[in-house]
Amino acid sequence: QVQLVESGGGLVQAGDSLRLSCTASGRSFSSYTMGWFRQAPGKEREFVAAINWLGDTRDYPDSVKGRFTISRDNAKNTLYLQMNSLKPEDTAVYYCAQGTRFKTTVDTTEEGYPYWGPGTQVTVSS
């Protein structure tokens, strides 16, 4: 069983940047695909970013591509999401999730991630 805890959320203005962190404990971090998802009020949870266990494959939806960057530090058991040029529509609860072990590709749907953190709120004001 893995425990995931997100941090770094907050209230920012449009155009600002934030870096989210997700610290994992309880089992191996380095051998698993990791992902970020978000859920805005009244909307379904959506995919934001994913990185494979090697760190050499990443994926993003068009809505954040070029603005968000996912990365991982396996020595620190930590996943990051650097968010630049934030927009009000980025306002959501952001979730960290752990996926499949030793998979070179990444999953972009919730079904690929059995373990989730509690989430951190990101609010972008206009």
Side-chain angles (χ1 to χ4, degrees), residues 14-15 86-92 123-126:
L86 283 161
K87 305 175 181 180
E89 51 264 44
D90 294 319
T91 295
T123 303
V124 184
S125 63
S126 57

mmCIF file of all heavy atoms in Angstrom, residues 14-15 86-92 123-126:
data_model
loop_
_atom_site.group_PDB
_atom_site.id
_atom_site.type_symbol
_atom_site.label_atom_id
_atom_site.label_comp_id
_atom_site.label_asym_id
_atom_site.label_seq_id
_atom_site.Cartn_x
_atom_site.Cartn_y
_atom_site.Cartn_z
ATOM 1 N N ALA A 14 -4.076 35.006 -12.253
ATOM 2 C CA ALA A 14 -3.858 34.549 -13.619
ATOM 3 C C ALA A 14 -2.481 35.001 -14.100
ATOM 4 O O ALA A 14 -2.080 36.149 -13.868
ATOM 5 C CB ALA A 14 -4.945 35.095 -14.531
ATOM 6 N N GLY A 15 -1.768 34.073 -14.746
ATOM 7 C CA GLY A 15 -0.433 34.357 -15.225
ATOM 8 C C GLY A 15 0.672 33.932 -14.275
ATOM 9 O O GLY A 15 1.837 33.856 -14.677
ATOM 10 N N LEU A 86 -0.773 30.290 -15.383
ATOM 11 C CA LEU A 86 -2.041 29.737 -14.895
ATOM 12 C C LEU A 86 -3.223 30.584 -15.330
ATOM 13 O O LEU A 86 -3.131 31.817 -15.438
ATOM 14 C CB LEU A 86 -2.007 29.610 -13.377
ATOM 15 C CG LEU A 86 -1.204 28.410 -12.870
ATOM 16 C CD1 LEU A 86 -0.828 28.583 -11.415
ATOM 17 C CD2 LEU A 86 -1.993 27.130 -13.079
ATOM 18 N N LYS A 87 -4.331 29.903 -15.583
ATOM 19 C CA LYS A 87 -5.565 30.525 -16.023
ATOM 20 C C LYS A 87 -6.672 30.223 -15.013
ATOM 21 O O LYS A 87 -6.607 29.217 -14.308
ATOM 22 C CB LYS A 87 -5.977 29.967 -17.387
ATOM 23 C CG LYS A 87 -4.920 30.085 -18.457
ATOM 24 C CD LYS A 87 -5.369 29.394 -19.742
ATOM 25 C CE LYS A 87 -4.314 29.475 -20.823
ATOM 26 N NZ LYS A 87 -4.744 28.796 -22.075
ATOM 27 N N PRO A 88 -7.703 31.055 -14.959
ATOM 28 C CA PRO A 88 -8.814 30.764 -14.044
ATOM 29 C C PRO A 88 -9.413 29.370 -14.266
ATOM 30 O O PRO A 88 -9.849 28.725 -13.299
ATOM 31 C CB PRO A 88 -9.823 31.864 -14.361
ATOM 32 C CG PRO A 88 -8.974 33.008 -14.825
ATOM 33 C CD PRO A 88 -7.847 32.374 -15.591
ATOM 34 N N GLU A 89 -9.413 28.897 -15.500
ATOM 35 C CA GLU A 89 -9.963 27.561 -15.775
ATOM 36 C C GLU A 89 -9.084 26.432 -15.256
ATOM 37 O O GLU A 89 -9.474 25.261 -15.310
ATOM 38 C CB GLU A 89 -10.221 27.372 -17.279
ATOM 39 C CG GLU A 89 -9.053 27.721 -18.181
ATOM 40 C CD GLU A 89 -9.149 29.140 -18.729
ATOM 41 O OE1 GLU A 89 -9.478 30.073 -17.952
ATOM 42 O OE2 GLU A 89 -8.857 29.319 -19.932
ATOM 43 N N ASP A 90 -7.905 26.744 -14.732
ATOM 44 C CA ASP A 90 -7.073 25.732 -14.081
ATOM 45 C C ASP A 90 -7.487 25.513 -12.634
ATOM 46 O O ASP A 90 -6.957 24.625 -11.962
ATOM 47 C CB ASP A 90 -5.599 26.158 -14.117
ATOM 48 C CG ASP A 90 -5.031 26.201 -15.516
ATOM 49 O OD1 ASP A 90 -5.335 25.293 -16.319
ATOM 50 O OD2 ASP A 90 -4.277 27.147 -15.819
ATOM 51 N N THR A 91 -8.412 26.316 -12.139
ATOM 52 C CA THR A 91 -8.894 26.168 -10.764
ATOM 53 C C THR A 91 -9.526 24.801 -10.571
ATOM 54 O O THR A 91 -10.425 24.404 -11.316
ATOM 55 C CB THR A 91 -9.915 27.260 -10.435
ATOM 56 O OG1 THR A 91 -9.257 28.536 -10.472
ATOM 57 C CG2 THR A 91 -10.522 27.047 -9.055
ATOM 58 N N ALA A 92 -9.024 24.056 -9.586
ATOM 59 C CA ALA A 92 -9.497 22.693 -9.334
ATOM 60 C C ALA A 92 -8.775 22.125 -8.124
ATOM 61 O O ALA A 92 -7.805 22.714 -7.635
ATOM 62 C CB ALA A 92 -9.242 21.800 -10.547
ATOM 63 N N THR A 123 -6.443 27.560 -6.786
ATOM 64 C CA THR A 123 -7.419 28.559 -7.196
ATOM 65 C C THR A 123 -6.702 29.686 -7.926
ATOM 66 O O THR A 123 -5.748 30.259 -7.391
ATOM 67 C CB THR A 123 -8.176 29.127 -5.987
ATOM 68 O OG1 THR A 123 -8.809 28.057 -5.275
ATOM 69 C CG2 THR A 123 -9.241 30.119 -6.439
ATOM 70 N N VAL A 124 -7.163 29.971 -9.146
ATOM 71 C CA VAL A 124 -6.551 31.006 -9.968
ATOM 72 C C VAL A 124 -7.582 32.114 -10.165
ATOM 73 O O VAL A 124 -8.634 31.880 -10.766
ATOM 74 C CB VAL A 124 -6.084 30.448 -11.316
ATOM 75 C CG1 VAL A 124 -5.352 31.546 -12.109
ATOM 76 C CG2 VAL A 124 -5.187 29.240 -11.123
ATOM 77 N N SER A 125 -7.258 33.287 -9.666
ATOM 78 C CA SER A 125 -8.187 34.412 -9.803
ATOM 79 C C SER A 125 -7.864 35.206 -11.065
ATOM 80 O O SER A 125 -6.717 35.284 -11.492
ATOM 81 C CB SER A 125 -8.107 35.318 -8.580
ATOM 82 O OG SER A 125 -6.812 35.890 -8.478
ATOM 83 N N SER A 126 -8.889 35.818 -11.629
ATOM 84 C CA SER A 126 -8.705 36.587 -12.872
ATOM 85 C C SER A 126 -8.340 38.034 -12.588
ATOM 86 O O SER A 126 -8.389 38.501 -11.474
ATOM 87 C CB SER A 126 -9.980 36.530 -13.712
ATOM 88 O OG SER A 126 -11.068 37.014 -12.956
#
